[in-house]
Amino acid sequence: MISQSVENPHNLTLLHFVPTGHLIMVDSAIMQDQERAVLVSPVLDQQDWSCVRLVYQITGRGCLHLHLRPHSDNFDYQIWTADNASDSWLIASVDLANSTIPYQILLEGRPELGLGNSVAIFEIHIVPGYCIECNFEEHHLCGYSNTWNPNVNWYVGGGKVQKIEFSYSSFSYPGHYMYVDSVYAKHFQEVAKLTSPMTTVPMAGCLTFYYQRDQEKGNIFSVFTKDQLGHYEEIWRPEVYSTASWILVSVDIKALHPLEVVFEVAFNSAHGGYVGIDDISFSPEFCHTDTEPTFDPSIANCDFERDLCLYHEERAETKSWIRASVKANAYRSGDHTTGTGCFLLANTHYTSRLGYVGRLHGPFLPGNLKYCLRFYYLLHGFRKVDNALSLYIYDEHNVAQEKVWSLADMSRDMWTQVEITYRKPMVSKVVFVSICKNFWECGLVAIDDITVSMGDCQITTGSLSRQCDFESGVCGYIQDKTGDKADWLRVRGHTPTFYTGPRGDHTSGVGYFMYIEASLMRPGHKARLLTSDLWGSSSTQCLIFYYHMYGSGTGILSVFLHHSSREQDMLLWRRQGEQSISWMRAMVEYHCDAQHQIIFEAIRGPSLLSDIAIDDIRFKRGLCEDPGDGTSYSGFSEYFNEIEN
């Protein structure tokens, strides 16, 4: 989740006042190493949408985290964080989506060790409604911020205003509002921006506000949305330059990813006029009946475990793409989803011939929307990668509009992730194309786990998740310093010893994973990696993770449940010896209603060929889903030819 941006000391989110009440603070001078300072709320049972507003200050180096603890859940979910040091009080606004499950919020202050570092909180408010809503009656202005300009800025108005008189026919007088005046404008296109707090959970519906305007022609008043990457999209602009009273505006927005609402006014001179706004509100129902409902692009997802989903070949009779699977083995990689499931394979010995072209068409998706397409590919046996795999965007008339990606590297026998962000004005679909111009230079190309989501691939989703892919760190996992003789290592790329360990991680093929390096251990030595404390739950939990056990001397990988009331850890899952050259998926169900930890324990085998790795650990409430099955291939042949489909 994203904290309130503080780029300028003149932002309205900096609260220039001297606190007259009390505050709560954690100072590095009174903390020991590894100590945590956590403030826990009472149990809250607010089923409607609400907004947490914090007035806080970080002095020196440190950070502040806001966590959500749903009742009867294993985890605390981090929903906001800040590490901006400031000499003024800051305000943060964090949305809490409606929920029928009681919860608590936790504030964790982490000043770094050393003198002069502290984290302080002056106010905590949980108010009903959405964080982007505001009537500007409070001193904190609901977290709205002004982007400082030496000549034109947004100010708080209300009561008696010397230069501007507004007509308050729509609400009680003498309330407050925000206004911007051109009187000090000195340059062409002087711009004033008023920016809302960043949304922190997905939301879609009707944004309403009142405005009053008296501007000369050529001056601009617009409303935009701005995402985390700084991309603006205009959502409204008035049709008139002057209004006699306050005018109500309704505009539909779809904030599936974090964004800000920006009210922007541009003046060309000191006589440009003024603009005022007030009473910003939001409803989860669209204001206009012709607004299309939020589209779910997951219809284009496919892991090929059951069938081809909504994908199809250009000519059904050609069978250019074949759904296949590979049994766990030490020679050929299986699918990306489970290690033993199904994937889609092109350029088999049935189709690798001079002039071969294979096209796989996806389902049609609506236009004027930004999509993030992700998929995995694997190569085997290619001498040249030219035309081995490309991706095109086709329109509804099956005409290619753009080639958005093509294979450029020679990575082989390893599932590698591709991310593509695209937007087309028309209805469109993606088409995977594999071309073989010369039989002797062509190999095999496979694809798997296609997903399509809304928005830019660089923007992370706002949903609650308890998953660790080790890309940004170890996610709070703890090395056991007392019960083992070695540590788990976080690395990327292939491990240093040949014929053992993965070639890359499971998440993307080029990211990080955790593993034990057998050359640093003796036979029988163990390394234990522990989760942070889990709170326990009355419901069954499903632990999902990927493991890699390749090497003739591979030892043992076990998963234990550690409970302080038990003398011995409870074994939940175990594998021994070489399993596969692929990343394999494990799904483990367990139940524990008290505080506990999950332990990943790896024991080195008799030889150096004993590296063991784990990646993409995830917990979810409820029973584990059926992974499904598919026709398997032994994988011991030189080629993927002996495939049943």
Side-chain angles (χ1 to χ4, degrees):
M1 293 304 176
I2 304 302
S3 64
Q4 176 79 31
S5 176
V6 182
E7 300 176 353
N8 193 294
H10 297 284
N11 281 354
L12 290 177
T13 48
L14 302 188
L15 305 183
H16 297 285
F17 64 87
V18 178
T20 57
H22 294 83
L23 57 87
I24 188 167
M25 180 176 69
V26 55
D27 194 301
S28 59
I30 59 174
M31 293 189 68
Q32 302 295 324
D33 190 22
Q34 303 298 323
E35 277 191 326
R36 302 171 65 215
V38 181
L39 191 64
V40 184
S41 77
V43 175
L44 305 172
D45 192 7
Q46 298 184 215
Q47 299 188 10
D48 295 328
W49 199 291
S50 55
C51 175
V52 180
R53 288 204 173 97
L54 306 172
V55 178
Y56 71 97
Q57 184 177 4
I58 299 173
T59 302
R61 295 186 302 275
C63 56
L64 177 64
H65 302 300
L66 178 65
H67 300 272
L68 181 70
R69 179 181 293 177
H71 184 65
S72 297
D73 202 317
N74 258 338
F75 301 101
D76 298 334
Y77 299 92
Q78 181 175 296
I79 57 177
W80 175 86
T81 185
D83 58 5
N84 305 93
S86 172
D87 57 2
S88 301
W89 291 96
L90 309 180
I91 182 170
S93 302
V94 184
D95 283 297
L96 296 177
N98 48 324
S99 173
T100 58
I101 302 174
Y103 61 88
Q104 294 172 286
I105 60 171
L106 293 77
L107 286 161
E108 180 182 3
R110 291 186 179 181
E112 292 188 14
L113 296 180
L115 295 177
N117 300 326
S118 64
V119 178
I121 300 171
F122 180 60
E123 290 182 0
I124 305 172
H125 293 282
I126 302 179
V127 297
Y130 298 80
C131 289
I132 62 173
E133 296 182 313
C134 196
N135 59 12
F136 302 109
E137 301 303 324
E138 303 292 338
H139 62 81
H140 52 60
L141 304 178
C142 316
Y144 275 74
S145 63
N146 170 66
T147 301
W148 179 255
N149 182 313
N151 301 319
V152 292
N153 290 280
W154 287 91
Y155 296 100
V156 179
K160 295 180 180 180
V161 182
Q162 293 180 351
K163 284 195 59 62
I164 307 172
E165 296 293 336
F166 287 96
S167 171
Y168 288 90
S169 57
S170 300
F171 44 85
S172 300
Y173 180 88
H176 294 86
Y177 52 85
M178 299 300 295
Y179 76 94
V180 57
D181 189 353
S182 66
V183 65
Y184 297 114
K186 296 180 180 180
H187 307 288
F188 181 76
Q189 290 290 296
E190 292 265 25
V191 176
K193 293 181 181 180
L194 182 69
T195 305
S196 76
M198 183 80 74
T199 62
T200 53
V201 293
M203 49 193 283
C206 179
L207 176 72
T208 62
F209 61 93
Y210 286 88
Y211 84 97
Q212 193 173 57
R213 182 189 195 199
D214 187 6
Q215 285 183 286
E216 291 184 349
K217 290 186 178 180
N219 296 276
I220 299 172
F221 173 35
S222 299
V223 181
F224 298 87
T225 58
K226 177 186 175 184
D227 65 22
Q228 291 171 292
L229 302 178
H231 298 155
Y232 284 80
E233 181 177 349
E234 187 176 64
I235 59 174
W236 178 83
R237 180 178 292 198
E239 298 178 354
V240 296
Y241 284 92
S242 181
T243 62
S245 61
W246 290 93
I247 304 299
L248 176 64
V249 175
S250 301
V251 58
D252 290 324
I253 63 172
K254 299 176 181 179
L256 302 181
H257 295 280
L259 57 76
E260 298 166 321
V261 178
V262 181
F263 296 86
E264 181 175 296
V265 176
F267 296 114
N268 293 329
S269 71
H271 304 289
Y274 66 81
V275 173
I277 62 170
D278 201 0
D279 284 358
I280 302 169
S281 62
F282 182 83
S283 168
E285 302 293 332
F286 288 125
C287 3
H288 307 292
T289 56
D290 59 346
T291 299
E292 295 184 2
T294 303
F295 175 70
D296 183 3
S298 65
I299 63 167
N301 293 357
C302 195
D303 60 11
F304 304 107
E305 295 304 310
R306 304 287 182 184
D307 51 33
L308 297 185
C309 308
L310 296 181
Y311 289 80
H312 66 277
E313 294 191 67
E314 187 164 292
R315 295 184 179 89
E317 67 275 7
T318 60
K319 293 291 184 183
S320 303
W321 293 84
I322 295 176
R323 180 171 162 267
S325 65
V326 175
K327 290 181 179 179
N329 69 94
Y331 301 93
R332 294 289 180 262
S333 296
D335 80 321
H336 179 265
T337 314
T338 67
T340 58
C342 293
F343 55 93
L344 214 56
L345 182 67
N347 291 6
T348 67
H349 73 288
Y350 299 110
T351 55
S352 294
R353 57 183 180 274
L354 187 63
Y356 159 77
V357 178
R359 295 185 179 90
L360 181 72
H361 293 246
F364 283 110
L365 302 177
N368 289 317
L369 296 173
K370 184 180 288 186
Y371 297 106
C372 171
L373 169 68
R374 294 183 173 95
F375 67 92
Y376 292 83
Y377 73 88
L378 181 145
L379 290 180
H380 176 76
F382 275 88
R383 296 184 181 180
K384 295 182 179 180
V385 297
D386 296 343
N387 302 310
L389 185 63
S390 302
L391 187 68
Y392 290 81
I393 305 296
Y394 277 43
D395 64 18
E396 56 187 328
H397 304 294
N398 279 330
V399 176
Q401 296 294 312
E402 183 183 3
K403 183 179 183 179
V404 294
W405 176 84
S406 62
L407 197 58
D409 59 46
M410 294 290 287
S411 59
R412 296 171 177 166
D413 293 327
M414 181 178 68
W415 288 105
T416 304
Q417 186 187 57
V418 176
E419 294 185 336
I420 299 167
T421 300
Y422 73 95
R423 181 172 186 165
K424 293 296 176 184
M426 77 294 286
V427 173
S428 63
K429 63 181 176 181
V430 297
V431 179
F432 294 88
V433 180
S434 180
I435 301 175
C436 177
K437 293 183 177 180
N438 185 320
F439 175 82
W440 303 107
E441 293 181 350
C442 294
L444 305 172
V445 59
I447 60 174
D448 200 6
D449 290 348
I450 303 171
T451 61
V452 181
S453 58
M454 302 296 297
D456 197 295
C457 292
Q458 297 181 59
I459 299 178
T460 56
T461 180
S463 61
L464 294 180
S465 175
R466 190 64 181 187
Q467 179 171 338
C468 187
D469 56 15
F470 302 108
E471 296 305 306
S472 301
V474 297
C475 313
Y477 282 76
I478 305 163
Q479 304 279 0
D480 187 348
K481 297 298 184 182
T482 59
D484 62 11
K485 296 288 185 66
D487 285 339
W488 288 82
L489 307 176
R490 175 176 170 265
V491 299
R492 68 189 305 177
H494 59 79
T495 56
T497 309
F498 290 111
Y499 305 111
T500 187
R503 297 185 179 97
D505 76 323
H506 177 265
T507 312
S508 66
V510 295
Y512 289 89
F513 57 92
M514 299 292 287
Y515 91 112
I516 62 162
E517 173 53 53
S519 63
L520 303 178
M521 305 167 65
R522 293 182 178 180
H525 280 184
K526 66 178 67 173
R528 289 159 61 92
L529 189 68
L530 290 72
T531 66
S532 55
D533 288 336
L534 309 180
W535 300 111
S537 173
S538 57
S539 62
T540 299
Q541 300 292 312
C542 178
L543 165 64
I544 305 168
F545 66 96
Y546 287 84
Y547 64 95
H548 196 280
M549 300 176 70
Y550 164 62
S552 58
T554 302
I556 302 172
L557 176 63
S558 305
V559 177
F560 294 95
L561 186 149
H562 172 72
H563 192 302
S564 58
S565 65
R566 296 175 179 166
E567 293 185 2
Q568 291 187 337
D569 298 330
M570 183 172 71
L571 178 66
L572 300 178
W573 178 94
R574 173 170 285 172
R575 292 291 182 271
Q576 182 172 357
E578 184 178 72
Q579 300 295 308
S580 176
I581 198 172
S582 302
W583 283 98
M584 307 291 289
R585 184 175 71 177
M587 306 176 76
V588 184
E589 291 178 357
Y590 77 94
H591 177 269
C592 184
D593 56 8
Q595 187 169 311
H596 63 282
Q597 291 175 289
I598 296 297
I599 302 173
F600 293 88
E601 179 186 273
I603 300 178
R604 202 204 109 155
S607 76
L608 292 178
L609 305 183
S610 184
D611 293 349
I612 296 175
I614 56 175
D615 199 7
D616 291 343
I617 303 171
R618 179 164 63 97
F619 291 83
K620 73 181 188 73
R621 185 186 301 175
L623 301 176
C624 296
E625 63 185 17
D626 180 8
D629 57 4
T631 304
S632 297
Y633 160 62
S634 67
F636 284 86
S637 175
E638 177 65 23
Y639 300 105
F640 282 125
N641 293 341
E642 303 169 17
I643 296 174
E644 300 180 13
N645 52 49

